[in-house]
């Protein structure tokens, strides 16, 4: 997606930055780890394929992704731009978090409820950073970003859809366009276009299951699928952003105060060279 191309959600626990070209060498190194490949059900890619995948995640209207990094150091003013290539240097990269949209299937057990489904994927790639709260902080921050900027996110997605796919009515679409210009005004509004968020996790990965349950995801009654995965879903109750403001590690008095500017064009040319080898497993 292009909607987050200049956004870097920042808290005192994590910094999220758009997945950019200079992140690819480190990401590619992560994904050479057989343990990580198995945990994420991923096939190894060449570096050229990895660059093509990064471009797809930045340009395709049904995908939204951030690289998870260590939080900004010192007292942070979210109005100050992120130092690209410094604040998100390879040694500060932790993992990634993604959202991609899918259309409801005919056998969806919530048939009759309009809206698209957002599927989340979360990876903490560094083994030494597991069980330290980075995954939960990234998930909460990412969900807050999705909800606060939902109108703009949905507008980009729906504008790319072919006829026949579920999209909002013309009235809803017009409202989304208006709200996309003023996200602070839409933060407390209902999101009828979002049916639910979901995640699919291997049944044996109890740590990840408990992580998602801790922020309100609940398991469906379907049980494990053919691949041994269970599905957890989260429904928007309208109060998530309000509850975020009560977290002491969120920046500012409102969600809009926690998104720092990000400009990839300010990257120094030498910053695209990988400087370290980091390995990990799926959280």
């Amino acid at each position: 997606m292009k909607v987050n191309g200049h956004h870097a959600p920042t808290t005192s626990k994590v910094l999220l930055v758009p997945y950019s070209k200079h992140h690819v060498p480190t990401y590619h190194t992560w994904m050479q780890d057989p343990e990580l490949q198995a945990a994420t059900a991923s096939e190894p890619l060449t570096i050229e394929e990895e660059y093509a995948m990064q471009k797809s995640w930045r340009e395709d209207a049904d995908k939204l992704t951030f690289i998870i990094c260590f939080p900004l150091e010192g007292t942070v003013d979210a109005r100050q731009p992120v130092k690209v290539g410094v604040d998100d240097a390879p040694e500060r990269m932790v993992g990634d978090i993604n959202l991609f949209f899918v259309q409801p299937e005919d056998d969806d057990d919530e048939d009759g409820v309009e809206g698209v489904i957002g599927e989340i994927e979360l990876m903490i790639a560094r083994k030494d950073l597991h069980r330290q709260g980075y995954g939960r902080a990234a998930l909460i921050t990412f969900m807050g970003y999705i909800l606060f900027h939902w109108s703009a996110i949905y507008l980009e997605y729906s504008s790319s859809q072919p006829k026949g796919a579920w999209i909002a009515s013309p009235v809803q679409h017009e409202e989304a366009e208006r709200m996309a210009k003023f996200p602070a005004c839409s933060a407390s509004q209902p999101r009828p276009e979002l049916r639910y968020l979901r995640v699919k996790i291997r049944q044996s990965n109890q740590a990840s299951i408990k992580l998602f349950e801790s922020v309100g995801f609940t398991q469906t009654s379907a049980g494990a699928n053919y691949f041994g995965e269970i599905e957890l879903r989260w429904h928007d109750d309208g109060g998530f952003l309000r509850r975020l403001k009560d977290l002491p590690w969120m920046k500012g008095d409102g969600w809009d105060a926690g998104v720092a500017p990000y400009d990839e064009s300010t990257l120094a040319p030498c910053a695209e060279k990988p400087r370290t080898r980091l390995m990990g497993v799926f959280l």
Side-chain angles (χ1 to χ4, degrees), residues 67-127:
I67 293 293
I68 306 167
C69 299
F70 289 138
L72 297 174
E73 298 177 346
T75 302
V76 178
D77 181 350
R79 295 170 296 182
Q80 295 299 315
V82 169
K83 295 188 288 292
V84 180
V86 177
D87 295 325
D88 58 348
E91 63 270 16
R92 296 183 58 82
M93 292 169 57
V94 174
D96 73 333
I97 189 164
N98 313 306
L99 172 78
F100 60 92
F101 289 111
V102 295
Q103 292 288 331
E105 299 175 355
D106 293 337
D107 59 352
D108 189 289
D109 58 11
E110 296 188 27
D111 190 33
V113 180
E114 291 186 335
V116 296
I117 299 167
E119 185 161 331
I120 291 179
E121 294 178 338
L122 169 63
M123 179 179 75
I124 299 299
R126 289 179 49 174
K127 292 180 181 179

Side-chain angles (χ1 to χ4, degrees), residues 178-255:
R178 185 179 72 83
M179 289 299 186
K181 299 177 182 177
F182 306 100
C185 297
S186 64
S188 61
Q189 300 299 312
R191 301 167 187 84
E193 308 91 352
L194 178 61
R195 183 178 290 209
Y196 54 80
L197 298 177
R198 77 181 184 192
V199 62
K200 294 181 179 180
I201 306 173
R202 288 192 177 186
Q203 194 172 25
S204 60
N205 192 346
Q206 289 299 310
S208 286
I209 292 172
K210 290 179 180 178
L211 185 156
F212 278 85
E213 288 179 335
S214 75
V215 300
F217 281 75
T218 58
Q219 295 187 34
T220 65
S221 59
N225 62 16
Y226 176 80
F227 301 102
E229 300 170 326
I230 64 169
E231 182 175 322
L232 296 91
R233 297 178 182 178
W234 179 90
H235 295 82
D236 181 15
D237 65 1
F240 189 82
L241 291 175
R242 183 178 64 253
R243 293 191 293 273
L244 282 187
K245 295 178 66 175
D246 296 331
L247 294 175
W249 49 273
M250 280 292 173
K251 298 293 182 185
D253 296 325
W255 180 249

